[in-house]
Amino acid sequence: MTKTARALITYDAVLRTVCSLLGLNVQAVSTLEERRKQAVIAIALALPVTLVFALVNYYQFHFEELAQAEIIVAVLFLLPAFLLLNIERAIRWAESLILWYGIFISSALIVYGGLEGSGVLWVFTYPFLAFFIKGQRLGWLYCLAWVAVCWLAVKLLGNLPHAWHYPDAYVGQMIPALLFYSTMAAAFNLVRARFEEMLHDKVETNTARARAYLDQLQFLAQHDEVTGLPNRNRLNVLLEEAIAQCNPAQEAIVVIDLRLERLFEISNILGERGGDLLMESIARSLQDRYGKIGCLGRLRRDEFGFFYQADLQNTQPCKLAEAVSDISLSYQVDNYPIHIENTIGIALYPQHAQTPAELWLKAEQAMLHGRANKLDISIYNEELNQQFVRRNLLFGQLRHALSTQELSLHFQPQIDLKTGRLVGAEALARWRTGSGQYISPAEFIPVAESSGLIKPFTKWLLSEFFRQTAQWRQAGMNLHFSVNLSARNLADPELISDLRHLLAFHAIPAENIVLEITECSFSDSPDQFMMTVDQLHRMGFRQSIDDFGTGYSSLSYLKDLRVNELKIDQSFVTNLTTEKSCIAIVKSTIQLAHNLGLTVVAEGIESEEVAAFLSHAGCDIGQGYYYSKPLPVDAFFSYASSSTTP
């Protein structure tokens, strides 16, 4: 490094040190409003003090010229300064007028010896005023100007007839004293300025942080935290804007509710971080697919919303399906291959609804209908919606029915097709509301199975079934009574203990009870259900496979199932005399069952012709309206007592 470079570095360091000591590097942080208030304070203090000085100098010390000069300077400088403070652009001129007022007053006090010579003691307040009004940098300039003006005033005006005469030593010390007080004022103001600067920086930092938090809160109020997509509130606003711009005569708005299947289970496996990564990937895929043609957002954890404008000719079901179905949600997260299935519900503006809230509701209802019926895409339909609403209203009504004994059991006779003798009956649940309305089992049984009501419903069903069966056994009715169990019942770990308790409490032989198990029960978890069936067999229950031929397609489980009978579904029996395929299926089923040593029961017999055919084909037992509809308890007892059969 050369000497010149070192000298420049040293000079720069010294310059920075001097600037720091003098406070020249202090940033002005006062706002215009704060500067205006400071100037007002200065005027409010200076004006009355000047008037008092003038009066004292005039009446007590008879310094008429000085008093007049003080009043003139105050009027010429302070009053205009006060008026200029009301103009934002003129505040700096008002500040300058106040300081020049101070310079002239200080000069006059020194030259004329105001307050009989003690006025010189008051001039030392000027540096504090200068730094207070103009800050650290300009304060130094005004202080140096003040020192120069005061020194020139003494030198040039000190010999005037009315000038105050100071000792030579006093005059020689004036300049150092003025500089000293300027330095003191600068140091005091520097401390104040540093404090204000620090306070300002903290305020700015806190304000910036608060503004960032506010921006974040405002963002999160309208966007999803994980994906950054618009949330439901924001989507409603955007959809409302789209509706306002839509021409219903030529255009429609397609509103889509996309539900991700099994997301909760997958997120639980991946953990919180993996779940967020998966959701971000899904959002990118959907944005890439749909973001260019419409607006995508996240409605809730496992649902996305999307809408776009389309010509009316493109709102046909096939066109809509083509527009939204081409999406694959397959990913690799933490070395796990993930595929997300989805269900889409669609509603249209203005065909289905007029407002954003109603459109999202209709799209969601369509999606829920699609999930219930295992459809990938479902378009809103008013009739289907009414069914959906009724189905969900039935949930509350069914819960009420269980607690108010609106449910009852009916029994449909089962007849030996060879002898025509009554051999048993199937227990069927019936529901008559308090208003007298009958609700079909085809409606309320699926509601119970798809909700948490299946367990209390089954407890009521089995309890009432065993109670009634025990009562008839005591009356001498020795028949086989059957009752249905669903897949949800077989998965209930308490089923075996409940049945064991009912057998013991009512003292009924298990072999007199037939448990009808729907064939589709074996489709979800065949090993578990076969284990349950085996336990029921060891308890002594007779078991029947209900609706045989409509459910689980494989027959491989049949050879290992410890059941006693097969029950042919009525869909085959009803069309038995008109469709050759039904004849072939029924004959094959009867032959298969007999080869396995099983009894065959046919339900849905409604004519003598069908009954005769089944009897000739070797079917063992039949039931249906040809023999009797399901009967209330008292009516069935009368029927069984008379043993009346066709």
Side-chain angles (χ1 to χ4, degrees):
M1 184 181 295
T2 63
K3 291 183 179 181
T4 302
R6 284 197 295 270
L8 289 174
I9 293 174
T10 303
Y11 171 78
D12 184 64
V14 171
L15 183 61
R16 284 199 302 270
T17 302
V18 171
C19 289
S20 178
L21 291 174
L22 296 178
L24 299 180
N25 58 351
V26 175
Q27 299 294 323
V29 296
S30 298
T31 63
L32 286 176
E33 181 61 25
E34 291 172 341
R35 289 169 58 187
R36 191 185 71 81
K37 291 180 180 179
Q38 292 171 350
V40 169
I41 292 172
I43 294 174
L45 292 174
L47 190 58
V49 169
T50 302
L51 293 177
V52 170
F53 273 30
L55 292 174
V56 171
N57 285 323
Y58 187 86
Y59 289 105
Q60 182 175 354
F61 300 112
H62 305 290
F63 292 156
E64 291 83 357
E65 295 86 351
L66 177 58
Q68 293 172 0
E70 288 174 330
I71 293 175
I72 292 172
V73 170
V75 172
L76 291 178
F77 287 89
L78 294 183
L79 290 181
F82 183 78
L83 296 175
L84 289 175
L85 289 176
N86 295 319
I87 305 174
E88 185 175 302
R89 292 178 298 177
I91 289 179
R92 63 188 185 94
W93 297 108
E95 294 172 340
S96 299
L97 287 174
I98 295 171
L99 294 179
W100 282 109
Y101 146 82
I103 290 175
F104 286 119
I105 288 294
S106 298
S107 301
L109 286 173
I110 291 174
V111 172
Y112 289 102
L115 298 178
E116 202 175 14
S118 66
V120 73
L121 302 178
W122 292 92
V123 302
F124 298 128
T125 60
Y126 179 83
F128 294 92
L129 177 65
F131 286 109
F132 179 72
I133 294 294
K134 280 296 188 179
Q136 199 71 10
R137 294 180 182 178
L138 293 178
W140 274 112
L141 294 178
Y142 276 94
C143 283
L144 294 177
W146 168 71
V147 171
V149 170
C150 290
W151 184 77
L152 289 174
V154 172
K155 286 295 184 179
L156 298 178
L157 304 176
N159 295 323
L160 292 175
H162 298 289
W164 187 268
H165 297 285
Y166 298 97
D168 293 339
Y170 193 93
V171 175
Q173 295 179 14
M174 182 183 69
I175 299 301
L178 296 181
L179 291 174
F180 174 75
Y181 278 101
S182 296
T183 304
M184 292 293 294
F188 174 79
N189 189 75
L190 180 60
V191 174
R192 181 181 70 90
R194 293 291 189 193
F195 176 77
E196 287 184 350
E197 187 178 41
M198 178 185 67
L199 186 62
H200 178 268
D201 290 342
K202 287 187 176 181
V203 169
E204 286 292 319
T205 301
N206 291 336
T207 301
R209 186 179 295 116
R211 188 178 295 111
Y213 287 149
L214 180 60
D215 292 342
Q216 184 179 12
L217 288 175
Q218 290 176 339
F219 180 84
L220 292 178
Q222 299 188 34
H223 295 81
D224 175 61
E225 183 177 4
V226 176
T227 64
L229 294 173
N231 61 13
R232 182 182 290 272
N233 293 333
R234 181 60 179 163
L235 277 178
N236 280 337
V237 174
L238 297 173
L239 181 53
E240 190 169 8
E241 294 174 355
I243 290 174
Q245 298 172 3
C246 180
N247 180 6
Q250 300 177 350
E251 298 174 317
I253 297 178
V254 182
V255 178
I256 296 168
D257 186 306
L258 186 147
R259 172 75 172 266
L260 304 175
E261 304 297 340
R262 300 185 301 109
L263 184 66
F264 287 94
E265 294 84 347
I266 294 173
S267 297
N268 182 266
I269 295 173
L270 297 176
E272 183 177 358
R273 173 183 168 277
D276 288 346
L277 291 175
L278 175 61
M279 186 54 61
E280 291 173 4
S281 299
I282 293 173
R284 283 195 298 269
S285 297
L286 295 176
Q287 185 69 15
D288 292 342
R289 174 65 178 84
Y290 300 131
K292 296 178 182 178
I293 61 173
C295 183
L296 175 72
R298 191 179 183 189
L299 298 176
R300 53 173 61 93
R301 182 175 178 181
D302 58 349
E303 285 184 46
F304 286 85
F306 168 62
F307 68 85
Y308 67 94
Q309 283 190 337
D311 296 333
L312 289 179
Q313 60 266 27
N314 291 327
T315 59
Q316 299 301 319
C318 59
K319 294 285 188 179
L320 292 174
E322 182 181 348
V324 302
S325 62
D326 184 21
I327 182 69
S328 176
L329 303 178
S330 298
Y331 309 96
Q332 190 83 14
V333 180
D334 293 338
N335 295 323
Y336 288 103
I338 303 294
H339 177 73
I340 304 295
E341 297 177 344
N342 60 84
T343 303
I344 290 176
I346 300 175
L348 300 175
Y349 169 86
Q351 292 92 320
H352 298 147
Q354 306 295 316
T355 66
E358 291 176 339
L359 284 166
W360 290 122
L361 179 63
K362 305 296 186 186
E364 184 176 19
Q365 290 172 351
M367 178 273 296
L368 292 173
H369 172 76
R371 292 189 76 223
N373 293 276
K374 302 186 183 304
L375 302 174
D376 293 334
I377 299 174
S378 177
I379 301 174
Y380 178 79
N381 179 285
E382 182 61 32
E383 182 179 351
L384 295 177
N385 176 59
Q386 291 177 359
Q387 295 176 7
F388 173 82
V389 172
R390 175 173 172 79
R391 180 184 177 91
N392 283 276
L393 289 177
L394 281 178
F395 173 79
Q397 294 174 339
L398 180 57
R399 180 180 292 276
H400 177 74
L402 286 169
S403 62
T404 57
Q405 298 181 346
E406 291 182 359
L407 296 173
S408 63
L409 283 184
H410 284 205
F411 290 82
Q412 187 172 31
Q414 293 180 334
I415 307 300
D416 187 316
L417 293 178
K418 292 181 180 179
T419 64
R421 184 171 57 87
L422 176 68
V423 293
E426 180 183 4
L428 300 167
R430 292 294 182 263
W431 180 7
R432 183 180 184 182
T433 66
S435 62
Q437 177 189 8
Y438 284 96
I439 298 178
S440 169
E443 282 192 271
F444 71 81
I445 296 297
V447 170
E449 290 183 341
S450 62
S451 67
L453 293 178
I454 187 61
K455 190 164 185 175
F457 173 78
T458 302
K459 282 185 175 293
W460 167 85
L461 176 67
L462 293 177
S463 176
E464 188 68 13
F465 172 77
F466 274 85
R467 184 193 65 78
Q468 189 59 60
T469 301
Q471 182 177 333
W472 281 337
R473 280 184 55 78
Q474 292 176 359
M477 188 184 297
N478 189 21
L479 300 173
H480 289 93
F481 293 98
S482 62
V483 64
N484 286 278
L485 294 178
S486 70
R488 295 285 296 274
N489 298 142
L490 294 178
D492 185 1
E494 298 180 3
L495 175 66
I496 300 299
S497 61
D498 288 344
L499 289 172
R500 187 175 285 116
H501 169 75
L502 289 170
L503 285 175
F505 183 80
H506 293 288
I508 299 175
E511 58 268 18
N512 280 36
I513 304 298
V514 180
L515 301 178
E516 295 190 9
I517 303 168
T518 306
E519 185 185 5
C520 62
S521 300
F522 301 94
S523 62
D524 295 329
S525 182
D527 293 338
Q528 176 185 351
F529 291 128
M530 289 179 71
M531 186 181 301
T532 302
V533 169
D534 187 63
Q535 287 181 281
L536 294 173
H537 174 78
R538 290 199 299 269
M539 291 173 64
F541 287 107
R542 292 176 57 84
Q543 296 180 83
S544 172
I545 299 179
D546 194 16
D547 299 334
F548 185 79
T550 63
Y552 197 46
S553 59
S554 175
L555 299 178
S556 61
Y557 69 90
L558 197 56
K559 63 182 179 64
D560 298 319
L561 268 180
R562 305 179 73 175
V563 296
N564 304 92
E565 67 180 42
L566 297 183
K567 197 169 189 180
I568 302 174
D569 185 70
Q570 62 181 343
S571 62
F572 301 115
V573 176
T574 302
N575 301 318
L576 190 59
T577 59
T578 58
E579 295 185 13
K580 292 183 179 181
S581 58
C582 291
I583 295 175
I585 291 174
V586 169
K587 286 184 175 181
S588 299
T589 301
I590 294 173
Q591 184 178 2
L592 172 66
H594 286 167
N595 288 339
L596 293 172
L598 305 178
T599 301
V600 181
V601 180
E603 60 181 348
I605 300 175
E606 298 183 357
S607 67
E608 181 180 4
E609 183 182 4
V610 172
F613 177 89
L614 289 170
S615 177
H616 180 74
C619 185
D620 302 298
I621 298 173
Q623 71 180 81
Y625 275 41
Y626 172 65
Y627 300 107
S628 172
K629 65 181 181 179
L631 300 171
V633 170
D634 293 340
F636 178 79
F637 184 77
S638 299
Y639 179 93
S641 298
S642 63
S643 297
T644 301
T645 59

